[in-house]
Amino acid sequence: NAIEAKDKAPYDYRADFIKDDYNNIKMKGYGNSDVMAVTPMHGTHVTGIIAAARNNGIGINGVVENAEVMMLRVVPDGDEYDKDIVLAIFYAVDNGARVINMSFGKSYSPDKKWIDSAIQYADLKDVLLVHAAGNESSDVDVKENYPMPFYIDGLRAPNFITIGASSDPKISGTLAAEFSNYGKNMVDVFAPGVKIYSTLPTGKEYGNQKGTSMASPVVAGVAAFIRSYYPSLTAIQVKDIIEQTVYIAPDNVVVLKPGTKEKVSMKDLCRTGGIVNAYNAIMLADKIAGTSNKKIKRK
């Protein structure tokens, strides 16, 4: 089978089950309302991190209070299709999303031009895209991880923020999670992504999971927190606020390059060299929104 697969295209299961013309981006009336699919574990855990009911004495407190969540199931039990991601972004933007969390990724994007159009549309409509960096302990400045913030023409999308996963150095011995992807240029900030306690699908259970999929909704939650209190701030301003207010660990905190025992600086792993900090972010947001809503200096 492995030898045959090198010369023979895989069977088109999509044509049997989805019944769309994949090459026609305008054909979008497909799919169903079954967001549970094979398992809703991943999406339920991610959603709880963002918006689980706060201060009710049950389970966990989500990052942001009074958030309204739109759940779109775009990834099957396996690799995602570019077309599905594109149409989901367009749908979310057209139906009022202000922040879109994307806890998925892959190393190959055959229809990147479609993805680029969706990112540009979100930018046009003032929507922030938050994307997980991936869990292969890889340098994504070198090894591609899609969707990515750079368009085909090389320009960087200003409304796109990429998130690596941090850990507790007192427990793991390193501030950067050993599985997290990283990139001095491609990854913007890190956020907690190890032993993250959140909601599970039954509605009555909670549990721990790890991954940049858990780190991304932490930042999405902070972005939603900012936008809920200061709706006049733009998506680009919110991104810049998050980046400018990160927690910078002191020099005595150990940071190992993910997948290795090599000691590095957080500045070697992401653009800001820090961990998302909700308190610092909301303080700066308050200052900016309370003065003249002046755009802060772009990095």
Side-chain angles (χ1 to χ4, degrees), residues 227-253:
R227 302 207 82 173
S228 67
Y229 276 89
Y230 305 104
S232 64
L233 295 177
T234 68
I236 295 173
Q237 283 180 304
V238 172
K239 176 181 183 290
D240 288 343
I241 287 169
I242 290 171
E243 291 180 348
Q244 291 194 27
T245 57
V246 294
Y247 164 74
I248 304 295
D251 293 338
N252 63 342
V253 174

Side-chain angles (χ1 to χ4, degrees), residues 178-251:
E178 56 87 21
F179 56 80
S180 180
N181 285 350
Y182 56 92
K184 196 171 183 179
N185 184 40
M186 198 68 71
V187 177
D188 296 294
V189 301
F190 274 58
V194 176
K195 202 174 182 180
I196 303 301
Y197 194 66
S198 186
T199 47
L200 298 182
T202 62
K204 298 180 180 179
E205 294 183 12
Y206 303 84
N208 293 309
Q209 291 198 19
K210 64 180 181 179
T212 57
S213 282
M214 283 66 245
S216 183
V218 172
V219 177
V222 172
F225 178 37
I226 296 170
R227 302 207 82 173
S228 67
Y229 276 89
Y230 305 104
S232 64
L233 295 177
T234 68
I236 295 173
Q237 283 180 304
V238 172
K239 176 181 183 290
D240 288 343
I241 287 169
I242 290 171
E243 291 180 348
Q244 291 194 27
T245 57
V246 294
Y247 164 74
I248 304 295
D251 293 338

